[in-house]
């Protein structure tokens, strides 16, 4: 649960700053707002934290994906490579901009396998979206190398990996653009919210314009007189979200450090179990430790162990059987049931490819996710709670 566990006086103070001026909108009202620019301040602090040049706050992680894809000029006729293990939003965002998501396999990191890029790309492929699932990195250096070689754009979906890094560089800052989610269950929360980061000024401007009806945010004129070059929509973050984000960001290093401690205790207990394996972490020191993923030799053993743990009050998820994070389980997506009765973008005549979503095309995901169990971790885990989990693991192992 992370950031949501820590909402306290720091968040209250930041939010009160906003309520005292009454200016809830991030733009305009410069006289009335008394120097309070929470979203802008949050963006600056967030960019700095990530080592990125620019950051743009938006309404959600899902809209961050859509705004970023739009800035990258991904659209009708394009294919985008997306891992089979991710939250639905990554696929939805690709379809929202009129492009077609192509399902690719994962590796032992549980994230996009770099080898898949050359295997699954076609003449229509424009971009790849590595997703850093469950708080830990994909093989991002290799992914960047292969994507660059093949002239593909890279958008990192780092909705779940806020605060995580690879070899000292924050996840989200490797690709052309990176996105984050601050929904209620993410590492940091602003209730709902999201962020886009990039080092490219042109991409930043395109995102900034698109997310606010094309407004160029010229500080010299009033909002009504601002210029515009492209049409857009409204994905603006508001000042209350910005205020929450500022307070939460200051807690991020603490969140990660506490979760790493809790994770180590549980991982050490699991390591005693016969046949136990763990998710490959390309850089363990950079793990945000929001989840612990471990695996058994086969699916049957994993299911048995999950049931044994559950009987001891220890909950885990097997993502192969999860309804929201594994493409083969999305019956509405497989039926191409977009909200549009014409099934756009699948029926878009400018799309010349022949996408298919077959379980057989992702054998590694089928194998690895089938025998992997994932445990959600928290910042606040009492010694009693950790002990109960340790005892549960020991008991489950005895009963196997
Ligand atoms: C949560 C999540 C999103 C969407 O973020 P929201 O803020 O909930 O819209 C996108 N991708 C992944 C991997 C996520 O976990």
């Amino acid at each position: 649960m992370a950031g949501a566990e820590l909402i306290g006086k720091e968040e209250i103070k930041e939010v009160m700053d906003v309520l005292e001026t009454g200016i809830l909108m991030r733009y305009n009202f410069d006289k009335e707002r008394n120097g309070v620019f929470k979203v802008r301040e949050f963006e600056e602090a967030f960019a700095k934290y990530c080592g990125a040049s620019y950051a743009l706050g938006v309404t959600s992680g899902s809209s961050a994906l859509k705004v970023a894809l739009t800035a990258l000029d991904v659209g009708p006729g394009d294919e985008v490579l997306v891992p089979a293990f991710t939250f639905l939003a990554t696929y939805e965002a690709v379809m929202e901009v009129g492009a077609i998501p192509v399902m690719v396999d994962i590796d032992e990191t549980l994230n996009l396998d770099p080898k898949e890029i050359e295997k699954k790309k076609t003449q229509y492929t424009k971009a790849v979206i590595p997703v850093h699932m469950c708080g830990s990195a994909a093989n991002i250096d290799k992914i960047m190398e292969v994507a660059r070689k093949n002239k593909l754009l890279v958008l990192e979906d780092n909705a779940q990996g806020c605060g995580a890094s690879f070899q000292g560089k924050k996840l989200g800052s490797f690709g052309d653009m990176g996105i984050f989610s601050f929904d209620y269950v993410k590492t940091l929360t602003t209730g709902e919210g999201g962020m886009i980061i990039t080092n490219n000024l042109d991409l930043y401007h395109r995102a900034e314009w698109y997310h606010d009806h094309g407004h160029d945010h010229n500080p010299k004129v009033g909002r009504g007189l601002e210029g515009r070059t492209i049409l857009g929509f409204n994905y603006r973050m508001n000042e209350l979200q910005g205020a929450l984000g500022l307070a939460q960001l200051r807690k991020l290093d603490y969140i990660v450090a506490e979760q790493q401690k809790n994770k180590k205790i549980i991982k050490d207990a699991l390591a005693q179990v016969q046949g136990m394996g763990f998710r490959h972490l390309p850089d363990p020191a950079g793990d945000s430790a929001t989840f612990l993923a471990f695996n058994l030799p086969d699916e049957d053993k994993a299911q048995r162990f999950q049931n044994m743990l559950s009987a001891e009050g220890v909950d885990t998820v097997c993502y192969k059987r999860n309804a929201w994070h594994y493409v083969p389980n999305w019956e509405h997506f497989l039926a191409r049931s977009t909200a549009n009765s014409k099934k756009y973008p699948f029926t878009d005549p400018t799309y010349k490819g022949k996408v298919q979503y077959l379980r057989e095309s992702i054998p590694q995901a089928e194998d690895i996710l089938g025998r992997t169990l994932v445990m959600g971790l928290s910042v606040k885990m009492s010694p009693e709670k950790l002990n109960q989990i340790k005892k549960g693991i020991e008991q489950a192992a005895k009963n196997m």
Side-chain angles (χ1 to χ4, degrees):
M1 276 298 276
E5 299 171 68
L6 302 178
I7 292 173
K9 56 184 190 307
E10 301 80 8
E11 281 78 2
I12 292 170
K13 193 221 161 259
E14 292 291 339
V15 168
M16 284 309 292
D17 286 351
V18 175
L19 293 178
E20 273 159 19
T21 68
I23 308 301
L24 306 185
M25 185 179 181
R26 68 164 300 176
Y27 294 120
N28 225 16
F29 306 102
D30 283 10
K31 275 195 211 78
E32 298 87 337
R33 68 170 62 242
N34 236 340
V36 176
F37 291 92
K38 295 296 183 188
V39 177
R40 191 197 290 175
E41 225 186 296
F42 180 33
E43 288 170 345
E44 286 167 5
F46 197 83
K48 186 157 176 247
Y49 181 90
C50 294
S53 306
Y54 311 100
L56 179 73
V58 291
T59 47
S60 69
S62 305
S63 60
L65 285 165
K66 183 180 177 186
V67 172
L69 286 166
T70 304
L72 292 165
D73 197 23
V74 172
D78 296 332
E79 287 181 346
V80 180
L81 304 179
V82 190
F85 176 42
T86 185
F87 180 56
L88 252 164
T90 325
Y91 280 72
E92 290 170 329
V94 172
M95 295 184 283
E96 279 282 311
V97 300
I100 301 293
V102 172
M103 177 178 75
V104 306
D105 212 349
I106 61 168
D107 61 19
E108 301 280 346
T109 66
L110 304 188
N111 297 321
L112 190 143
D113 181 350
K115 288 197 284 299
E116 283 284 284
I117 297 175
E118 291 186 342
K119 223 156 81 190
K120 301 279 167 76
K121 84 166 181 133
T122 69
Q123 59 184 299
Y124 311 111
T125 311
K126 178 139 181 185
V128 49
I129 309 184
V131 186
H132 304 291
M133 284 300 279
C134 304
S136 307
N139 277 313
I140 191 67
D141 54 343
K142 190 74 195 157
I143 289 170
M144 289 308 300
E145 186 188 316
V146 182
R148 290 288 180 249
K149 185 174 146 225
N150 288 277
K151 299 196 163 41
L152 299 176
L153 295 165
V154 177
L155 167 59
E156 287 176 83
D157 180 342
N158 196 31
Q160 298 193 10
C162 190
S165 58
F166 174 72
Q167 293 178 353
K169 188 171 153 66
K170 289 282 186 279
L171 299 186
S173 70
F174 287 82
D176 296 284
M177 302 185 97
I179 73 95
F180 299 79
S181 163
F182 309 126
D183 79 25
Y184 189 61
V185 297
K186 294 297 191 330
T187 314
L188 301 187
T189 185
T190 59
E192 300 282 358
M195 192 73 85
I196 302 165
I197 60 171
T198 182
N199 292 322
N200 182 315
L201 182 60
D202 182 47
L203 291 176
Y204 168 74
H205 275 147
R206 286 178 53 81
E208 184 205 358
W209 299 338
Y210 177 72
H211 105 297
D212 184 22
H213 305 293
H215 276 277
D216 70 359
H217 308 121
N218 177 354
K220 296 197 183 74
V221 299
R223 190 164 165 81
L225 296 174
E226 283 175 352
R228 62 272 176 117
T229 43
I230 56 170
L231 293 164
F233 211 62
N234 175 7
Y235 296 105
R236 293 187 303 264
M237 180 178 266
N238 73 48
E239 286 288 281
L240 297 170
Q241 292 168 300
L244 286 165
L246 265 176
Q248 288 265 297
L249 180 59
R250 293 183 200 118
K251 301 178 180 181
L252 181 51
D253 286 340
Y254 171 77
I255 290 172
V256 171
E258 290 301 298
Q259 289 180 160
Q260 281 184 352
K261 279 188 226 161
N262 295 336
K263 183 166 179 170
K264 181 170 187 323
I265 292 167
I266 301 169
K267 194 170 175 180
D268 286 349
L270 279 167
Q272 306 301 314
V273 179
Q274 179 105 37
M276 187 61 61
F278 294 94
R279 170 191 194 174
H280 174 65
L281 304 178
D283 178 8
D287 182 14
S288 72
T290 43
F291 292 89
L292 168 56
F294 52 97
N295 57 68
L296 285 111
D298 61 58
E299 198 166 331
D300 186 53
K301 285 201 180 67
Q303 194 149 5
R304 280 216 328 271
F305 194 62
Q306 183 179 38
N307 292 340
M308 298 294 176
L309 281 177
S310 173
E312 302 299 321
V314 178
D315 291 331
T316 56
V317 176
C318 174
Y319 277 104
K320 189 178 178 182
R321 298 193 291 276
N322 178 282
W324 293 93
H325 297 82
Y326 190 46
V327 178
N329 297 339
W330 300 344
E331 73 292 341
H332 56 330
F333 172 79
L334 298 174
R336 305 188 181 195
S337 298
T338 58
N340 180 283
S341 65
K342 298 185 185 72
K343 298 200 173 189
Y344 180 86
F346 292 109
T347 48
D348 176 2
T350 63
Y351 177 58
K352 306 294 184 202
K354 289 191 184 63
V355 75
Q356 280 190 300
Y357 302 101
L358 304 172
R359 261 183 205 275
E360 303 86 85
S361 70
I362 48 165
Q364 293 168 170
E366 287 282 286
D367 168 43
I368 299 167
L369 289 183
R371 53 192 180 77
T372 293
L373 301 177
V374 180
M375 189 187 296
L377 303 172
S378 307
V379 182
K380 296 180 184 171
M381 296 179 89
S382 65
E384 294 74 31
K385 175 77 191 166
L386 288 166
N387 238 344
Q388 180 225 328
I389 295 173
K390 275 200 297 195
K391 289 264 149 52
I393 291 167
E394 281 163 26
Q395 198 55 45
K398 265 188 221 144
N399 296 342
M400 276 293 278

